[in-house]
C-alpha cells in the first residue's frame, strides 16, 4: 500500500517516522518547497507543487497511491482543499492530520480575527511595538501599518512589509525563556499570531500572558467538508495501518 503524506509540519515528520518500515507499506512525503532547508522526514520525499488538483490527481494515479494524509500546516487552506478535490476525483481515502488549536487561559487578552487583514486593522490602539509571528508570506497585509514590527520567520521575507520592520530569522521550537527575553529586549507591547496550535511555538502565548500583552489571534480555516480528522500522528498512523488491511473505501 502506498500512502502519500502532504507534509511540512512536525506532525507530518512524526507520522512518516511511525509508518516508515511498516511491512507492506510505502510512504512518500510531499513538501511544498517554501522553506529553503526543510527538515526531511523518513521514507521517500518529493519537493514542489503538483500543479493544482489535476496535477495531484495525475500523481496519485501514476504512483498508485492508495491513501492520502493531509498533514500540512493548519493554515495551508489552498493545499487542503486541492487535496480533498483530488482524493474525491481519484477515489482514494483522505485523512486530515490537525494538531488541536490553542485555547485561551485565565489572564489571556486575546482578540480573535478571521484573517491577516483583520489582524492589521485590530492593531489600532493596541500597541506600537508588534511581535509578528505569522510567517513571511502574509506581510503585505501589514505593509501600511505605522507600528514597529519584529517579524520572525524561518527564511527572509521577500514581500512588501511595514516600513519599520526588524527581521528575526529563527526556527522553533522556542522556550518560554526565549520568548520572555524577546518581549523584554524589544519592548513588545502586542503579539500577532496564527492559531497554528501545538507546543513548538506556544510559549510566546505564556510569555504574553505573564507580561500582560494583548494577543491578536488569527483563526484557522476549517477542514474541507466530509474529511475525517486525526489529532495526533499516532491516530493518523493507526488510520493508515488499518486502511492497509482493508479492501473497503467506505470512509
Amino acid at each position: 500500500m502506498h500512502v502519500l503524506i502532504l507534509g511540512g509540519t512536525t506532525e507530518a515528520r512524526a507520522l512518516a517516522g511511525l509508518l516508515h518500515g511498516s511491512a507492506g507499506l510505502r510512504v512518500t512525503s510531499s513538501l511544498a518547497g517554501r522553506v529553503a532547508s526543510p527538515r526531511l522526514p523518513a521514507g521517500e520525499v518529493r519537493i514542489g507543487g503538483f500543479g493544482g488538483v489535476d496535477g495531484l490527481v495525475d500523481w496519485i494515479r501514476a504512483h498508485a497511491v492508495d491513501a492520502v494524509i493531509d498533514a500540512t500546516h493548519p493554515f495551508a487552506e489552498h493545499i487542503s482543499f486541492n487535496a480533498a478535490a483530488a482524493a474525491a476525483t481519484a477515489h482514494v481515502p483522505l485523512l486530515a492530520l490537525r494538531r488541536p488549536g490553542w485555547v485561551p487561559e485565565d489572564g489571556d487578552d486575546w482578540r480573535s480575527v478571521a484573517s491577516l487583514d483583520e489582524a492589521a486593522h485590530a492593531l489600532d490602539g493596541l500597541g506600537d511595538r508588534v511581535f509578528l509571528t505569522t510567517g513571511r508570506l502574509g506581510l503585505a497585509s501589514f505593509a501600511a501599518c505605522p507600528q514597529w514590527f519584529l517579524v520572525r520567520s524561518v527564511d527572509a521575507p521577500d514581500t512588501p512589509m511595514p516600513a519599520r520592520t526588524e527581521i528575526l530569522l529563527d526556527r522553533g521550537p522556542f522556550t518560554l525563556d526565549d520568548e520572555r527575553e524577546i518581549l523584554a529586549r524589544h519592548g513588545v507591547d502586542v503579539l500577532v499570531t496564527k492559531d497554528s496550535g501545538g507546543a513548538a511555538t506556544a510559549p510566546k502565548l505564556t510569555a504574553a500572558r505573564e507580561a500582560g500583552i494583548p494577543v491578536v489571534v488569527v483563526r484557522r480555516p476549517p477542514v474541507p467538508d466530509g474529511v475525517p480528522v486525526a489529532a495526533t500522528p499516532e491516530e493518523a498512523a493507526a488510520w493508515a495501518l488499518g486502511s492497509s488491511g482493508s479492501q473497503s473505501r467506505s470512509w
Side-chain angles (χ1 to χ4, degrees):
M1 178 174 175
H2 188 189
V3 176
L4 173 63
I5 301 174
L6 305 178
T9 60
T10 301
E11 290 78 15
R13 289 191 297 275
L15 173 60
L18 289 171
L19 294 179
H20 179 60
S22 298
L25 199 65
R26 175 187 174 194
V27 180
T28 300
S29 295
S30 177
L31 310 182
R34 292 179 176 175
V35 176
S37 299
R39 294 171 177 168
L40 299 181
E44 300 176 38
V45 178
R46 69 170 302 278
I47 296 178
F50 291 95
V53 174
D54 291 342
L56 180 52
V57 170
D58 290 343
W59 201 94
I60 288 171
R61 289 172 172 166
H63 294 83
V65 170
D66 296 287
V68 179
I69 299 178
D70 172 16
T72 57
H73 192 277
F75 282 84
E77 182 176 15
H78 184 68
I79 298 174
S80 294
F81 277 85
N82 280 357
T89 300
H91 303 291
V92 297
L94 170 68
L95 177 77
L97 172 55
R98 291 290 184 273
R99 68 188 77 143
W102 291 318
V103 177
E105 300 182 12
D106 290 343
D108 282 326
D109 181 10
W110 288 12
R111 319 297 168 92
S112 178
V113 296
S115 67
L116 292 176
D117 288 343
E118 285 191 21
H121 290 298
L123 291 175
D124 292 342
L126 274 188
D128 296 315
R129 298 182 65 81
V130 182
F131 186 21
L132 186 61
T133 64
T134 56
R136 64 186 177 91
L137 298 179
L139 294 183
S141 295
F142 302 89
C145 292
Q147 293 91 348
W148 176 89
F149 285 81
L150 175 65
V151 174
R152 182 166 66 191
S153 67
V154 175
D155 294 319
D158 56 3
T159 58
M161 64 186 71
R164 301 166 59 211
T165 297
E166 180 175 336
I167 305 298
L168 175 62
L169 298 181
D170 205 353
R171 188 200 303 258
F174 305 104
T175 69
L176 180 54
D177 285 341
D178 291 336
E179 305 295 51
R180 287 167 173 159
E181 193 273 335
I182 286 175
L183 298 185
R185 172 159 49 95
H186 294 279
V188 170
D189 54 15
V190 59
L191 169 67
V192 179
T193 188
K194 293 177 178 178
D195 180 17
S196 56
T201 59
K204 63 191 172 189
L205 302 173
T206 302
R209 183 189 316 123
E210 292 176 349
I213 292 173
V215 182
V216 178
V217 181
V218 182
R219 297 188 296 273
R220 57 174 62 179
V223 172
D225 289 342
V227 177
V229 179
T232 67
E234 290 76 14
E235 289 179 17
W239 178 88
L241 293 171
S243 64
S244 69
S246 172
Q247 300 302 313
S248 171
R249 296 305 189 209
S250 62
W251 57 78

